[in-house]
């Protein structure tokens, strides 16, 4: 008889170890996500100067890649239901490498945007399949923690990209300066190909989702994976196979997007909850911190080198917050974390809005609007921004990805997660493309809008969000 340690016997600990390794490999898709979406932070100013474009064009150049991500997310579920989760991860890795290298060596702003769109499509694919795969291979009692690894990978990608940006800009003397024959901003974008190649390699080491295998009638392979991940004797594994088959339903045909919103499938309410969670995650303005933080802090009085360093600090704060979420999500549940995070974000964003209300508005030599904070307001705004990052990272960052990957029944999961994630990317596009113009109009009001979105998220969680803590995916379905 095996001995119990901390509530798990030796067999259980071995099974959990495999689940952690598989989840970590899949979560590297989140690293690509974080690196790609944040690397532009250090390069955006140099890109603007290199191609001589204004604030509106800069916003579009940065954010059109998000439409690629929305397209990738929208199609990912249906592709994954046809060819499997692992193959979609590999496609994402290849597209991301191509997009990274292409965007690093553009001839014009047009083809740079095209290559960013290709990379965005890859990120969109990974943003659906990675969390869905992690949910499908995770034992119920630790699914929240393993699902949070995806968000941890995102913030690690953000942190690494900020550190790389800071190091390259420091070595070259600025993001727009030459380093070994190539501008520093080009190095920033090209290095993004490295994690995609690692992702491609790691996907060869992990098994296919057992729920996809059951759907395909490949029961022997599914049986081996379930026995490995969940343990138990043959009778228990057989019971789990039967449970999964029942949850998939009699139909094995692909679920269309239209069907998700039909009363026949019975999941319409859950789909709207998933969309609401995904969009609110972006409407609080989190990616403004990571896309434009360097430019923003320069605008309020910090030099380029200090602004890039502040961006690194924000990324590290995000990592700390994510570890808090990992420690708490399977103990206290999803909803309590969301509510605490919403309250903290509301207060932090409102504080930043008040600080920016006192900013002195001027125009620089290029005719661009510049907001300058003086005295204690600059310090308070910086603390408030990082407090916002912490509360987001400890709640809405990881918890949303966990929830949208576990609230849907097996028979519609991939397609429904795709719709919710596409909504997330569209909301991301709206926020990131409008922020440059909104900040020139009124930075204080812009942060006030984000604070109202954080306040609205409290009501949304209280009224409609379910609590799946400790339940299997089949029980949730």
């Amino acid at each position: 008889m095996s001995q119990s340690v901390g509530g798990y016997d030796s067999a259980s600990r071995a099974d959990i170890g495999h689940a952690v390794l598989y989840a970590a490999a899949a979560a590297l898709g989140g690293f690509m996500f974080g690196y790609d979406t944040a690397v532009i932070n250090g390069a955006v100013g140099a890109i603007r100067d290199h191609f001589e474009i204004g604030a509106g064009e800069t916003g579009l150049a940065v954010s059109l890649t998000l439409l690629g991500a929305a397209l990738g997310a929208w199609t990912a579920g249906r592709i994954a239901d046809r060819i499997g989760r692992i193959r979609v991860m590999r496609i994402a890795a290849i597209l991301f490498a191509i997009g990274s290298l292409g965007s690093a060596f553009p001839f014009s702003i047009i083809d740079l945007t095209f290559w960013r769109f290709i990379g965005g499509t890859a990120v969109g694919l990974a943003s659906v399949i990675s969390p869905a795969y992690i949910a499908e291979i995770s034992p119920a009692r630790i699914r929240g923690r393993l699902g949070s690894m995806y968000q941890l990978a995102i913030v690690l990608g953000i942190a690494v990209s900020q550190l790389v940006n800071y190091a390259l800009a420091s070595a070259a003397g600025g993001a727009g300066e030459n380093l070994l024959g190539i501008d520093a901003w080009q190095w920033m974008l090209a290095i993004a190909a490295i994690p995609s190649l690692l992702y491609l390699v790691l996907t060869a080491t992990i098994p296919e989702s057992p729920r996809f295998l059951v759907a395909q009638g490949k029961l022997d392979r599914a049986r081996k994976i379930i026995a490995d991940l969940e343990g138990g004797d043959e009778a228990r594994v057989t019971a789990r196979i039967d449970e999964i088959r029942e949850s998939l339903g009699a139909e094995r045909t692909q679920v269309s997007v239209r069907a998700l919103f039909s009363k026949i499938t019975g999941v319409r309410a859950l789909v709207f909850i998933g969309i609401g969670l995904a969009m609110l995650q972006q409407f609080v303005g989190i990616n403004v911190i990571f896309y434009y933080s360097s430019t923003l802090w320069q605008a309020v009085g910090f030099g380029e080198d200090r602004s890039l360093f502040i961006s690194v600090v924000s990324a590290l704060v995000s990592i700390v917050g994510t570890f808090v979420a990992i420690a708490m999500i399977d103990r206290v549940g999803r909803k309590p974390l969301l509510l605490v995070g919403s309250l903290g974000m509301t207060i932090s964003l409102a504080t930043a809005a008040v600080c920016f209300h006192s900013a002195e508005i001027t125009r620089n030599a290029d005719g661009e609007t510049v907001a300058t904070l003086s005295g204690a307001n600059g310090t308070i705004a910086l603390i408030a921004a990082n407090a916002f990052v912490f509360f987001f990272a400890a709640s809405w960052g990881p918890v949303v990805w966990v929830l949208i990957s576990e609230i849907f029944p097996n028979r519609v999961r991939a397609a429904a997660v795709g719709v919710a994630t596409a909504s997330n990317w569209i909301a991301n596009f709206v926020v990131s493309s409008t922020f440059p113009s909104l900040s020139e109009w009124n930075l204080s009001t812009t942060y006030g809008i984000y604070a109202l979105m954080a306040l609205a998220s409290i009501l949304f969680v209280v009224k409609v969000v379910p609590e799946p803590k400790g339940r299997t995916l089949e029980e949730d379905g």
Side-chain angles (χ1 to χ4, degrees):
M1 180 179 295
S2 57
Q3 293 181 339
S4 177
V5 180
Y8 303 112
D9 61 27
S10 58
S12 296
R13 282 187 277 116
D15 299 334
I16 290 171
H18 289 161
V20 171
L21 290 175
Y22 300 157
L28 194 58
F31 189 93
M32 291 189 342
F33 176 169
Y35 195 103
D36 182 69
T37 54
V39 71
I40 199 68
N41 176 51
V44 64
I47 290 172
R48 180 191 60 213
D49 295 339
H50 181 81
F51 293 107
E52 299 179 347
I53 54 178
E57 292 168 294
T58 301
L60 286 175
V62 170
S63 57
L64 277 177
T65 187
L66 304 177
L67 293 185
L71 174 64
W74 187 264
T75 59
R78 281 165 287 173
I79 297 173
D81 281 339
R82 181 180 294 117
I83 66 174
R85 280 59 167 150
I86 300 299
R87 287 179 180 173
V88 173
M89 291 183 199
R90 292 170 184 166
I91 292 171
I94 293 169
L95 288 178
F96 187 78
I98 293 171
S100 299
L101 294 174
S103 62
F105 304 100
F107 297 103
S108 68
I109 191 63
I110 294 175
D111 67 294
L112 183 147
T113 303
F114 170 76
W115 291 118
R116 291 283 295 165
F117 183 88
I118 296 298
T121 302
V123 170
L125 290 170
S127 68
V128 171
I129 297 308
S130 291
Y133 173 85
I134 292 171
E136 291 181 348
I137 58 95
S138 298
R141 62 183 177 272
I142 59 168
R143 191 172 62 241
R145 277 172 279 179
L146 294 188
S148 297
M149 289 175 66
Y150 179 73
Q151 177 67 17
L152 177 61
I154 292 175
V155 297
L156 285 173
I158 291 170
V160 170
S161 72
Q162 304 288 35
L163 287 168
V164 169
N165 286 354
Y166 180 68
L168 289 171
S170 298
E177 300 301 320
N178 190 276
L179 181 64
L180 301 177
I182 301 174
D183 284 352
W185 67 267
Q186 293 178 283
W187 280 111
M188 294 174 186
L189 299 180
I191 289 174
I194 295 175
S196 65
L197 297 177
L198 181 59
Y199 188 47
L200 181 63
V201 171
L202 288 179
T203 56
T205 68
I206 60 179
E208 182 56 83
S209 161
R211 288 167 174 86
F212 170 76
L213 293 174
V214 171
Q216 296 296 308
K218 300 176 181 179
L219 301 186
D220 288 340
R221 288 178 59 191
R223 187 182 303 276
K224 291 178 182 178
I225 297 169
I226 291 173
D228 176 44
L229 294 173
E230 299 185 19
D233 56 22
E234 184 176 348
R236 183 177 184 276
V237 173
T238 298
R240 290 290 292 122
I241 292 284
D242 291 341
E243 186 180 12
I244 292 171
R245 293 178 70 180
E246 183 179 354
S247 72
L248 289 168
E251 295 293 330
R252 292 292 185 268
T253 56
Q254 285 188 300
V255 177
S256 67
V257 172
R258 179 178 296 181
L260 291 175
F261 294 93
S262 168
K263 291 182 179 180
I264 297 175
T265 55
V267 297
R268 182 167 59 178
L270 288 175
V271 173
F272 280 120
I273 291 172
I275 290 172
L277 284 166
M279 297 188 77
L280 280 170
Q281 188 197 55
Q282 294 301 320
F283 282 155
V284 297
I286 184 61
N287 280 319
V288 166
I289 298 294
F290 296 120
Y291 293 161
Y292 297 106
S293 60
S294 177
T295 303
L296 175 63
W297 294 117
Q298 287 181 61
V300 298
F302 295 96
E304 181 183 16
D305 58 338
R306 290 187 65 195
S307 297
L308 287 173
F309 179 72
I310 290 170
S311 298
V312 172
V313 171
S314 296
L316 295 177
V317 169
S318 187
I319 292 172
V320 172
T322 304
F323 274 114
V324 171
I326 291 173
M328 301 300 294
I329 188 169
D330 285 319
R331 296 181 182 179
V332 304
R334 285 63 162 153
K335 291 185 70 170
L337 277 183
L338 288 178
L339 290 171
V340 171
S342 293
L343 181 61
M345 291 190 300
T346 301
I347 295 172
S348 303
L349 288 167
T351 301
V354 171
C355 290
F356 284 119
H357 182 69
S358 65
E360 179 184 353
I361 308 299
T362 59
R363 288 190 178 273
N364 60 19
D366 297 324
E368 298 171 330
T369 301
V370 177
T372 303
L373 288 174
S374 59
N377 281 329
T379 301
I380 295 173
L382 183 58
I383 293 172
N386 281 291
F388 164 60
V389 169
F390 174 81
F391 280 110
F392 177 89
S395 59
W396 279 79
V399 175
V400 166
W401 295 114
V402 171
L403 276 171
I404 65 175
S405 64
E406 68 184 359
I407 62 174
F408 301 114
N410 282 333
R411 67 185 187 278
V412 301
R413 177 171 299 107
V417 172
V419 169
T421 306
S423 303
N424 180 275
W425 285 110
I426 291 170
N428 192 335
F429 170 78
V430 170
V431 172
S432 60
S433 62
T434 57
F435 178 76
S437 298
L438 285 174
S439 63
E440 286 193 357
W441 166 62
N442 192 310
L443 195 56
S444 176
T445 300
T446 301
Y447 272 84
I449 293 171
Y450 300 150
L452 289 175
M453 290 295 101
L455 183 62
S457 71
I458 297 176
L459 298 177
F460 184 80
V461 172
V462 170
K463 294 291 185 181
V464 302
V465 174
E467 178 56 78
K469 180 174 76 76
R471 296 165 58 89
T472 67
L473 295 181
E474 287 67 43
E475 290 170 335
D476 287 335

